[in-house]
Amino acid sequence: MARVVVDVMPKPEILDPQGQAALGAAGRLGFTGIAGIRQGKHFEIEVDDSVDDATLEKIAEGFLANPVIEQWTIKRVDA
């Protein structure tokens, strides 16, 4: 078994209202020095060793992310 982490973030040119809300809240709470916050999604998937990188790419592109507005990274990590 392997553990795979898929992080999905909005593309840089896409507005991120949730990130903007978090940035506003940070300022209201007195945190300074924060220039920006972008909010994304984090998935951890347990797969057996037969699942190859091409299949993981299809999973990410097919239903974890919206490829029109989001980009993603896939990383195998030690289980």
Side-chain angles (χ1 to χ4, degrees):
M1 292 296 269
R3 189 162 58 101
V4 176
V5 173
V6 179
D7 289 311
V8 178
M9 294 295 296
K11 290 181 177 178
E13 65 272 18
I14 300 296
L15 293 176
D16 178 12
Q18 293 174 319
Q20 290 297 312
L23 179 62
R28 287 190 301 278
L29 293 171
F31 295 105
T32 60
I34 301 172
I37 297 176
R38 302 221 15 117
Q39 183 171 327
K41 299 178 274 188
H42 177 90
F43 299 92
E44 294 184 4
I45 307 169
E46 299 287 334
V47 297
D48 65 37
D49 295 333
S50 67
V51 178
D52 62 10
D53 291 346
T55 300
L56 293 171
E57 185 69 28
K58 288 179 183 175
I59 291 169
E61 183 177 4
F63 67 91
L64 297 180
N66 178 344
V68 174
I69 62 170
E70 296 173 319
Q71 56 190 17
W72 57 91
T73 59
I74 301 170
K75 181 172 57 175
R76 290 180 184 265
V77 296
D78 293 332

